Amino acid sequence: MYVHTPTDTSNSLPSADKPVMRSAFFISDGTAITAETLGKSLLSQFGDVEFDIQIIPYVDTPESAYEAVKRINQAHHLTGLRPLVFDTIVSDHIREIINSADACNLDIYEGLITRIADEINHKPDPHAGIAHSKVDSDDYKSRIDAVHFALDNDDGARTTHYDGADIILVGLSRSGKTPTSLYLALQYGIRAANYPLTEEDLDTSSLPPALKAHKHKLFGLTIDTERLVRIRQERKAGSRYASLAQCQEEQRAIQAIYIAQKIPNLNVSEMSVEEIATRILQMTGLKRRIG
Amino acid sequence: MYVHTPTDTSNSLPSADKPVMRSAFFISDGTAITAETLGKSLLSQFGDVEFDIQIIPYVDTPESAYEAVKRINQAHHLTGLRPLVFDTIVSDHIREIINSADACNLDIYEGLITRIADEINHKPDPHAGIAHSKVDSDDYKSRIDAVHFALDNDDGARTTHYDGADIILVGLSRSGKTPTSLYLALQYGIRAANYPLTEEDLDTSSLPPALKAHKHKLFGLTIDTERLVRIRQERKAGSRYASLAQCQEEQRAIQAIYIAQKIPNLNVSEMSVEEIATRILQMTGLKRRIG
């Protein structure tokens, strides 16, 4: 998918080299994260079709709605194809303006909100909204605290605060521990430390002393050797650290530790950070602190 | 909202102290992030109603689907209220099993996929999926590189790599720069450094030398004084750093710098990290490197 940012209003006509892509708009009165998440998920069901994505957040006034309509109609004019429009706009008035564009309107909320309202026998309150709950002070604090915890306890930097950890990710260098720790913190408020098992730790099948006392909090990330070599090569090309032999040796050693110490672990080679985090929650039963 | 994790199967009957909450299930054959994002966004339209949220990812076999049905029916039985079920399951067979539960089924994909297919005249491919695109190697690398860039250039730790920065967030200590940098990296692959303007920087309305050469990349975060005091008090209660007088003084000084140096800036006091990031993209026109 090709993603336009909101200010990218380049109007160049499609050239002969570039096939015409249908435009898809994700529009919202807020961040447009919901429209984008669902819209991309739906478009991904048409795997081989390419779309020209345009995200328009904060469409919360008639003026910004008319501006969005103008962009939608331009896209139609330039491509000759009706754009797909995914919106999550709450105001009826603003939504009507968007719906006046010459497009295929996939009004995400329409219908669903009515069905929920009927089921729970309660009228929707258009002034409510999820964004508001996100700055709720407890959640905000948990999140920020978790981010700072992840930073302070990244890469085995410090091991004295493991009492406060919800989970300690272990794995070889460059197996994805750091992004996973940060994602767990930002998304779920979970306090995740991470500790790289390096050559000296791997010489024995026992755990480093810093980890022993917290064995029940350990979770291992593993990664295919081939992928590990590639990632390390990108970082330190030609080094022993990035050699196949060294990576194979470390893999054998860490598998032995996982087995001997009964550490739950996950092969993350084909996983996005989102998937790794979701699987960890599922496998460990770890509770989110926010969200 | 009260969030159950997948393994939380506590079946305690509602007590007299706790009002009965209707259950809402977010179910998917993948991470369930799409179902959760949309589901929460819809439920938030009923601001004052509380729901008991249960998220069930990776429902991709008949067995796991029957297990989910069991949990849905249990929730109905325990509360006497039909649970709301939001699912984004692609397989017709698995979806039918889920739909057999005694619940209000809000099949998110149903209808929308058909409408898109009709509009673009193309059949959906149930084997495609967004998760796959996320481990695409270019995107993966951009994301991981951006995370490491944010970590290496957090909190003014290093200022020699600003040539490689897409953006440099500035602001007072504890104004939200670090979580925002990490979110920009994880979500958009944007390389965000951050630099705290401290007392010595604030003594003059000129910029610290490290920032001068990169003035066009600077973006300021501001935060209400009252909120800043509260956040700093939580960190260092009773200190001068957390005093109202000190915060007021720093606020005056940083506003003077923003004005004198024409640095675009945003008051983030009431914003979630998601909102801050979205607004920054909107205000600066900064391009996402992924997503």
Side-chain angles (χ1 to χ4, degrees):
Chain A
M1 293 180 199
Y2 176 81
V3 181
H4 269 290
T5 53
T7 55
D8 182 355
T9 51
S10 57
N11 287 334
S12 53
L13 282 160
S15 75
D17 320 334
K18 229 169 63 180
V20 175
M21 280 190 281
R22 188 184 296 263
S23 294
F25 287 84
F26 303 144
I27 302 180
S28 168
D29 46 16
T31 59
I33 290 173
T34 302
E36 179 184 344
T37 304
L38 180 64
K40 284 190 176 166
S41 172
L42 288 164
L43 295 182
S44 73
Q45 303 304 317
F46 302 88
D48 46 345
V49 184
E50 292 241 53
F51 296 92
D52 178 14
I53 306 276
Q54 303 200 38
I55 303 162
I56 315 184
Y58 302 114
V59 176
D60 51 7
T61 60
E63 293 69 35
S64 53
Y66 285 119
E67 186 53 40
V69 169
K70 209 169 113 188
R71 285 177 58 186
I72 298 167
N73 289 343
Q74 271 175 350
H76 187 171
H77 179 71
L78 286 167
T79 61
L81 299 167
R82 286 215 309 175
L84 303 176
V85 175
F86 302 84
D87 83 79
T88 56
I89 289 171
V90 173
S91 148
D92 289 335
H93 178 50
I94 306 282
R95 205 169 54 232
E96 274 161 24
I97 296 172
I98 296 296
N99 286 346
S100 73
D102 192 10
C104 173
N105 279 94
L106 298 148
D107 198 329
I108 296 172
Y109 280 180
E110 198 187 16
L112 287 173
I113 289 188
T114 312
R115 282 193 60 201
I116 297 170
D118 288 349
E119 178 70 23
I120 69 175
N121 197 19
H122 202 282
K123 278 205 182 124
D125 167 12
H127 301 296
I130 192 153
H132 200 68
S133 74
K134 288 232 170 110
V135 287
D136 156 81
S137 65
D138 275 359
D139 268 15
Y140 181 86
K141 198 174 168 303
S142 299
R143 190 176 202 182
I144 302 304
D145 286 351
V147 167
H148 287 288
F149 186 89
L151 288 176
D152 292 343
N153 298 281
D154 182 46
D155 207 29
R158 214 182 288 176
T159 58
T160 48
H161 293 148
Y162 285 177
D163 277 339
D166 294 323
I167 188 169
I168 303 164
L169 302 179
V170 295
L172 299 180
S173 167
R174 292 281 145 159
S175 54
K177 299 179 300 302
T178 295
T180 304
S181 306
L182 292 169
Y183 187 87
L184 286 169
L186 269 170
Q187 214 60 27
Y188 302 131
I190 288 174
R191 293 161 183 238
N194 75 77
Y195 185 99
L197 289 168
T198 57
E199 257 188 301
E200 39 187 297
D201 301 317
L202 295 167
D203 271 351
T204 150
S205 66
S206 73
L207 287 170
L211 299 180
K212 259 188 193 146
H214 306 281
K215 206 178 124 177
H216 61 291
K217 292 184 183 177
L218 302 184
F219 190 95
L221 303 189
T222 63
I223 180 171
D224 291 345
T225 305
E226 197 182 288
R227 192 176 170 88
L228 183 64
V229 170
R230 207 165 58 241
I231 295 173
R232 288 188 175 184
Q233 285 290 351
E234 274 164 12
R235 197 178 167 208
K236 288 190 186 168
S239 65
R240 190 173 79 91
Y241 164 82
S243 69
L244 179 63
Q246 175 66 19
C247 288
Q248 281 173 331
E249 182 54 36
E250 291 186 22
Q251 293 276 42
R252 268 191 294 268
I254 202 164
Q255 290 303 328
I257 290 185
Y258 289 160
I259 294 167
Q261 303 291 334
K262 298 192 180 61
I263 298 171
N265 60 88
L266 182 67
N267 185 327
V268 302
S269 300
E270 297 299 324
M271 291 188 183
S272 65
V273 177
E274 288 84 351
E275 286 177 287
I276 301 170
T278 308
R279 287 284 186 192
I280 289 174
L281 260 56
Q282 193 188 33
M283 289 172 71
T284 61
L286 199 60
K287 301 261 186 300
R288 305 172 176 208
R289 288 180 185 269
I290 58 170
Chain B
M1 291 180 200
Y2 177 80
V3 182
H4 269 289
T5 52
T7 53
D8 182 355
T9 51
S10 55
N11 287 333
S12 53
L13 283 160
S15 73
D17 321 335
K18 231 170 61 183
V20 174
M21 281 191 280
R22 188 183 297 263
S23 294
F25 286 84
F26 305 143
I27 301 180
S28 167
D29 45 16
T31 60
I33 290 173
T34 302
E36 179 184 344
T37 304
L38 180 63
K40 285 191 175 165
S41 171
L42 288 164
L43 294 183
S44 74
Q45 302 306 316
F46 302 89
D48 46 348
V49 185
E50 292 240 52
F51 296 91
D52 177 14
I53 306 276
Q54 304 201 38
I55 303 164
I56 314 184
Y58 303 114
V59 176
D60 49 7
T61 60
E63 293 69 36
S64 53
Y66 285 119
E67 185 55 39
V69 168
K70 209 169 112 188
R71 286 177 57 186
I72 298 167
N73 290 343
Q74 271 175 350
H76 188 170
H77 179 70
L78 284 167
T79 61
L81 299 166
R82 287 215 306 176
L84 303 176
V85 176
F86 301 83
D87 83 81
T88 56
I89 289 171
V90 173
S91 150
D92 289 336
H93 178 50
I94 306 280
R95 206 169 53 232
E96 275 161 24
I97 297 173
I98 296 295
N99 286 346
S100 74
D102 192 11
C104 173
N105 279 93
L106 299 149
D107 197 329
I108 296 171
Y109 279 0
E110 197 187 17
L112 287 173
I113 289 188
T114 312
R115 281 192 60 200
I116 297 170
D118 289 348
E119 178 71 25
I120 69 174
N121 197 20
H122 201 283
K123 277 203 182 127
D125 167 11
H127 300 295
I130 192 153
H132 200 68
S133 74
K134 289 233 169 111
V135 287
D136 156 80
S137 64
D138 276 0
D139 267 15
Y140 181 86
K141 198 174 168 303
S142 300
R143 191 178 201 182
I144 303 304
D145 286 351
V147 166
H148 286 287
F149 186 90
L151 287 176
D152 292 343
N153 298 279
D154 181 45
D155 206 31
R158 214 181 289 175
T159 59
T160 49
H161 293 149
Y162 285 178
D163 277 339
D166 294 323
I167 188 169
I168 303 164
L169 302 179
V170 294
L172 299 181
S173 167
R174 293 282 146 156
S175 54
K177 299 177 302 301
T178 295
T180 304
S181 305
L182 293 169
Y183 187 87
L184 287 169
L186 270 170
Q187 212 63 25
Y188 303 130
I190 289 174
R191 294 162 183 237
N194 75 76
Y195 185 100
L197 291 168
T198 56
E199 254 188 305
E200 38 187 297
D201 301 316
L202 295 167
D203 271 351
T204 149
S205 66
S206 73
L207 286 170
L211 299 181
K212 258 188 194 144
H214 305 281
K215 203 177 126 178
H216 60 292
K217 292 184 181 177
L218 302 184
F219 189 96
L221 303 189
T222 63
I223 181 172
D224 291 344
T225 306
E226 196 183 291
R227 191 175 171 88
L228 183 64
V229 170
R230 207 166 56 240
I231 296 172
R232 288 188 175 184
Q233 285 290 350
E234 274 165 13
R235 197 178 168 208
K236 289 188 187 170
S239 64
R240 191 173 78 91
Y241 163 84
S243 69
L244 178 63
Q246 176 65 20
C247 289
Q248 281 173 330
E249 181 55 37
E250 291 186 24
Q251 293 277 38
R252 268 191 295 269
I254 203 164
Q255 289 304 326
I257 291 186
Y258 289 159
I259 293 167
Q261 304 292 334
K262 298 191 180 60
I263 298 172
N265 59 87
L266 182 66
N267 185 327
V268 303
S269 300
E270 296 299 323
M271 291 188 182
S272 66
V273 177
E274 288 83 353
E275 287 176 287
I276 301 170
T278 308
R279 286 285 186 193
I280 289 174
L281 261 57
Q282 192 189 32
M283 288 172 72
T284 61
L286 198 61
K287 301 261 187 297
R288 304 172 176 209
R289 288 180 185 269
I290 58 170

